[in-house]
Amino acid sequence: MRTIRTLLVFLAIAIPAALFGQISIRIAIGPPALPVYEQPLCPGDGYLWTPGYWAYDDSVSDYYWVPGTWVLAPEEGYLWTPGYWGWDDGGFFFNDGYWGPEVGFYGGINYGFGYYGEGYEGGRWEQGNFFYNRSVNNVDNNNNHHVYDARVGNNAGNNRVSYNGGKGGIEARPSSQQEAVAKQHHIPAVAAQTGHMQAARANPEQRTGINHGKPAIAATSKPGELGQRSAAVNESNVAARSGAGGETHGNQAVVHPKDLPPIARPAPIVSGNAKADKKYEQNQDKLIAKQTQDRQKLQQRQDSDHQQKTSGNTQKLEQQHQQQTQNLVQKHTVQQQTLQSRQPQARSAGPGPKR
């Protein structure tokens, strides 16, 4: 029996907390206020809006923003109940969102776009089709063929509080009907949503410690766009930080690796753990060296392409080179974000974000 208990404890430690949907994590300080942002245009029929929310990364002791996005419903007739932070047993914990025939309790949080704290006014299913309420959704008749207009009341006003209970939190409680909805058959977040959350977690600029409650990317048209937009934001920031040398690109896309700004070296980490800091800096050096080598190899390949092309229009070749360079930038951005997500944290850091 002791062996079994020991094994269970080991498994509990070995499995990342994120796999449990964060409901087991209790945080002393609640998440920041919900940011104000515009809803992207709905990409087509069958997509439902899933509002953005603050998630928590216990590996860096910080909240990060998961952008709102349009997601295809997993089943006809299903709606999305957003997750929410609630107060219980001396701390804040996260209740996961879910798909189901009805929208349940989501803490009374005013996520906007039809999620005004109770129920959902953004659309409804009729005869196998989802009809969008254009008064609260950004839809185009050319892409969405089932629409209607219905003004809805917003009892929550402009309240941007992002948690239920605790000091300053929303005081809403579930009704008996909402409690019944919670017991119905549900489908958890689909793969596109979990991948969307992981991409947000890997992007340091989504963390409150960096963005101070104003995330770099607040919403996307589809979940898969987050990684691409993160790469674009990262490349823009790298170019801004490397300003020395007078190299500017404006709105012109970079075609060749030689035209990219130098790879920026992040500021030194001082966590109080000298050994961990040194190892992290060594990993940074290795990554920068490897990425520099990748750029040189791609540049050599592209130079060879130009030498072999003796005649004809070079526009198509330059388009290919531009795509190759963009793919390399995106690949390197993901590598940088992954490494940054593992940087040593200060021993004195508290359980909540700096606000």
Side-chain angles (χ1 to χ4, degrees), residues 250-316:
N251 295 324
Q252 183 178 1
V254 174
V255 177
H256 302 290
K258 65 181 181 181
D259 299 322
L260 291 169
I263 299 175
R265 182 179 298 277
I269 300 297
V270 182
S271 68
N273 186 334
K275 184 176 180 180
D277 293 346
K278 183 177 180 180
K279 183 177 180 179
Y280 180 72
E281 290 182 5
Q282 291 174 342
N283 289 334
Q284 282 183 337
D285 292 339
K286 290 180 181 178
L287 181 60
I288 291 175
K290 177 63 170 60
Q291 291 183 345
T292 301
Q293 187 179 44
D294 289 344
R295 288 188 179 188
Q296 293 171 348
K297 288 182 178 180
L298 180 57
Q299 185 62 54
Q300 290 172 358
R301 282 169 43 198
Q302 293 179 353
D303 289 342
S304 177
D305 290 342
H306 283 291
Q307 292 173 1
Q308 294 177 11
K309 189 174 182 60
T310 57
S311 62
N313 192 342
T314 62
Q315 181 178 358
K316 185 175 181 180

Side-chain angles (χ1 to χ4, degrees), residues 20-292:
F20 293 109
Q22 298 182 328
I23 197 168
S24 62
I25 302 176
R26 277 179 168 75
I27 314 300
I29 300 177
L34 297 171
V36 177
Y37 62 92
E38 295 183 359
Q39 183 187 62
L41 188 67
C42 181
D45 282 333
Y47 283 86
L48 271 66
W49 179 250
T50 59
Y53 63 96
W54 291 107
Y56 191 82
D57 186 351
D58 56 332
S59 68
V60 296
S61 299
D62 202 357
Y63 286 99
Y64 62 96
W65 179 253
V66 180
T69 193
W70 292 97
V71 178
L72 281 171
E75 289 189 18
E76 179 183 310
Y78 272 45
L79 301 169
W80 175 248
T81 296
Y84 70 95
W85 287 95
W87 173 268
D88 183 54
D89 196 24
F92 292 96
F93 66 97
F94 192 75
N95 296 273
D96 289 323
Y98 57 84
W99 294 93
E102 299 180 66
V103 173
F105 184 69
Y106 50 93
I109 310 302
N110 180 14
Y111 287 113
F113 310 110
Y115 297 96
Y116 293 123
E118 184 174 355
Y120 178 58
E121 303 291 344
R124 58 176 181 260
W125 288 94
E126 289 184 8
Q127 299 179 345
N129 297 306
F130 188 77
F131 285 73
Y132 299 85
N133 185 354
R134 289 186 298 186
S135 70
V136 294
N137 282 310
N138 185 10
V139 295
D140 182 353
N141 291 344
N142 294 324
N143 293 327
N144 305 92
H145 306 294
H146 305 95
V147 296
Y148 65 97
D149 282 293
R151 296 295 172 182
V152 298
N154 179 6
N155 296 329
N158 295 321
N159 192 338
R160 294 166 51 214
V161 175
S162 61
Y163 55 89
N164 178 284
K167 185 177 181 180
I170 302 295
E171 297 181 355
R173 295 293 179 267
S175 65
S176 58
Q177 181 180 354
Q178 290 171 330
E179 290 178 341
V181 170
K183 299 177 183 178
Q184 295 176 354
H185 172 68
H186 297 149
I187 295 177
V190 296
Q193 291 173 284
T194 56
H196 185 67
M197 181 192 71
Q198 292 167 1
R201 184 179 184 179
N203 185 348
E205 296 199 5
Q206 296 299 103
R207 302 176 193 163
T208 58
I210 294 178
N211 62 48
H212 305 291
K214 297 180 179 180
I217 302 173
T220 66
S221 296
K222 295 180 182 179
E225 293 181 358
L226 178 56
Q228 299 172 4
R229 292 184 61 183
S230 296
V233 169
N234 184 275
E235 181 181 358
S236 175
N237 290 341
V238 168
R241 288 194 295 266
S242 65
E247 188 174 42
T248 59
H249 305 287
N251 295 324
Q252 183 178 1
V254 174
V255 177
H256 302 290
K258 65 181 181 181
D259 299 322
L260 291 169
I263 299 175
R265 182 179 298 277
I269 300 297
V270 182
S271 68
N273 186 334
K275 184 176 180 180
D277 293 346
K278 183 177 180 180
K279 183 177 180 179
Y280 180 72
E281 290 182 5
Q282 291 174 342
N283 289 334
Q284 282 183 337
D285 292 339
K286 290 180 181 178
L287 181 60
I288 291 175
K290 177 63 170 60
Q291 291 183 345
T292 301

